[in-house]
Amino acid sequence: MNAVWIDDTPEAGAPSNSLKIERETHKLEKRLCRQVGQAIVDYNMIEEGDKVMVCVSGGKDSYALLDILLKMKARAPIHFDIVAVNLDQKQPGFPEEVLPKYLSELGVDFHIENQDTYSIVKRVIPEGKTTCGLCSRLRRGILYRVADELGATKVALGHHRDDMLQTFFLNMFFGGKLKSMPPKLVSDDGKHIVIRPLAYVAEKDTVRWAQHREFPIIPCTLCGSQENLQRKQVGEMLREWDKKYPGRVENMFTALQNVVPSHLLDGTLHDFQGLKATGVADENGDKAFDTPAFDQLSQAPSALRIVQG
């Protein structure tokens, strides 16, 4: 099954210069399909007979998610259905004709849910304050209801690798928790399975794919227009790290998949109080006097200044 979800066919020989752009685009498409397929397999995101509700906001990431899932559906070793859902929140100037036209031309089943959450957010949140929290809670509740009405078994969101890392640092810096966005979870009402098939995909690749596919991007005039949000600051920090220290972002994301509870401080995950010496050698035991072998460790704190300022 994995071999069908994940295409590892080697690239052909080097093309001529005139085909360089086409070659790079083909490589990008293969990488996106491979990474989405790997995430689906690793976390058992989509199963036989699933009806996957893909939440499409009009942004680059949700367009890319729908586009790649449709490609995966055509070659998947199982049968599943896709329905695209957009929540029209009645933001002023929202081009309500764009998504229905695009989705109709794409030939995918879709549903447009009309709910004026914009007025609620503007009425409740004082001017200048962050609207994202209330907006996301309202949106989540509506989308769960729509999932029930449509008979969807999975709800797919367009969060990618960079979103997950940003959330990790936001929780650490401002929430006092080691917590990120999981690739798969049960919703807070206990009724829905939420999946993030772009979990392994870098944002720069969704940007490139959106440009190649010429998606009709719809900017968010509510939260997308707010300046100096903490998420923006953390995102800029990660982009700066990615430029200065290639591979660091990939290492951090890999770290989210390699948690060692015995080497953190959470007593609910590891029994520190009951810990006793056994006299038996353990290769995973602590090497307390060894020097950590981390490259450029001393330079890391300086990159955090962007968050503080």
Side-chain angles (χ1 to χ4, degrees):
M1 181 175 106
N2 296 12
V4 184
W5 277 108
I6 309 161
D7 183 5
D8 285 320
T9 306
E11 292 286 340
S16 62
N17 291 337
S18 62
L19 297 177
K20 184 177 180 180
I21 296 178
E22 182 180 348
R23 176 179 178 270
E24 290 302 314
T25 301
H26 178 64
K27 286 171 62 178
L28 174 60
E29 179 177 346
K30 289 191 64 175
R31 181 164 65 253
L32 289 170
C33 289
R34 183 177 67 252
Q35 290 173 336
V36 170
Q38 187 67 62
I40 290 172
V41 170
D42 286 351
Y43 299 100
N44 194 28
M45 291 186 180
I46 299 177
E47 302 170 89
E48 177 68 37
D50 269 341
K51 185 173 186 178
V52 181
M53 186 179 100
V54 180
C55 300
V56 181
S57 65
K60 62 178 174 38
D61 301 324
S62 60
Y63 274 127
L65 173 63
L66 177 62
D67 198 40
I68 298 302
L69 280 183
L70 287 172
K71 295 179 184 296
M72 303 301 292
K73 180 180 178 344
R75 74 180 204 201
I78 60 174
H79 170 77
F80 66 94
D81 295 312
I82 290 176
V83 56
V85 170
N86 169 255
L87 172 58
D88 183 346
Q89 299 176 268
K90 300 306 175 184
Q91 298 177 23
F94 182 81
E96 59 184 24
E97 74 286 349
V98 170
L99 272 168
K101 181 176 183 295
Y102 172 79
L103 296 171
S104 295
E105 292 175 351
L106 199 60
V108 65
D109 291 339
F110 70 92
H111 170 78
I112 306 295
E113 181 70 15
N114 294 283
Q115 295 287 336
D116 186 5
T117 63
Y118 178 86
S119 297
I120 297 174
V121 170
K122 298 300 288 185
R123 184 177 71 249
V124 173
I125 304 297
E127 191 68 30
K129 296 295 183 180
T130 302
T131 60
C132 298
L134 177 59
C135 182
S136 63
R137 287 195 297 274
L138 293 171
R139 186 170 62 246
R140 184 167 65 244
I142 294 169
L143 290 173
Y144 288 163
R145 172 181 58 77
V146 172
D148 285 335
E149 294 172 355
L150 296 177
T153 55
K154 301 285 173 60
V155 178
L157 304 179
H159 299 119
H160 45 65
R161 182 198 69 183
D162 298 58
D163 289 323
M164 294 179 170
L165 279 170
Q166 287 174 22
T167 301
F168 172 78
F169 282 107
L170 282 168
N171 278 308
M172 183 169 62
F173 293 156
F174 307 111
K177 294 181 180 179
L178 290 181
K179 178 182 176 182
S180 181
M181 286 179 175
K184 181 181 179 182
L185 72 151
V186 177
S187 61
D188 51 4
D189 63 6
K191 298 179 180 178
H192 306 90
I193 296 292
V194 179
I195 59 175
R196 295 183 169 102
L198 297 182
Y200 294 163
V201 174
E203 182 177 23
K204 58 188 176 184
D205 281 348
T206 66
V207 171
R208 289 179 56 204
W209 190 246
Q211 292 170 344
H212 166 65
R213 297 288 284 168
E214 298 182 337
F215 296 137
I217 304 297
I218 303 174
C220 177
T221 57
L222 186 59
C223 60
S225 59
Q226 292 180 286
E227 298 299 329
N228 301 318
L229 294 180
Q230 292 169 340
R231 182 171 290 276
K232 287 186 177 182
Q233 294 176 338
V234 172
E236 182 58 35
M237 178 191 75
L238 292 175
R239 285 188 287 273
E240 181 183 340
W241 278 352
D242 194 34
K243 290 178 182 177
K244 289 186 176 180
Y245 314 111
R248 175 173 289 185
V249 171
E250 286 78 7
N251 285 340
M252 289 188 295
F253 186 75
T254 300
L256 295 181
Q257 304 168 71
N258 292 281
V259 179
V260 185
S262 64
H263 285 54
L264 296 174
L265 283 76
D266 192 336
T268 65
L269 298 179
H270 186 72
D271 184 13
F272 292 103
Q273 292 192 359
L275 198 62
K276 299 182 185 302
T278 64
V280 178
D282 183 355
E283 63 179 13
N284 294 317
D286 189 29
K287 299 176 178 62
F289 299 101
D290 288 3
T291 302
F294 300 142
D295 293 336
Q296 301 169 328
L297 183 63
S298 61
Q299 299 183 41
S302 64
L304 298 180
R305 285 199 294 268
I306 190 171
V307 177
Q308 300 168 353

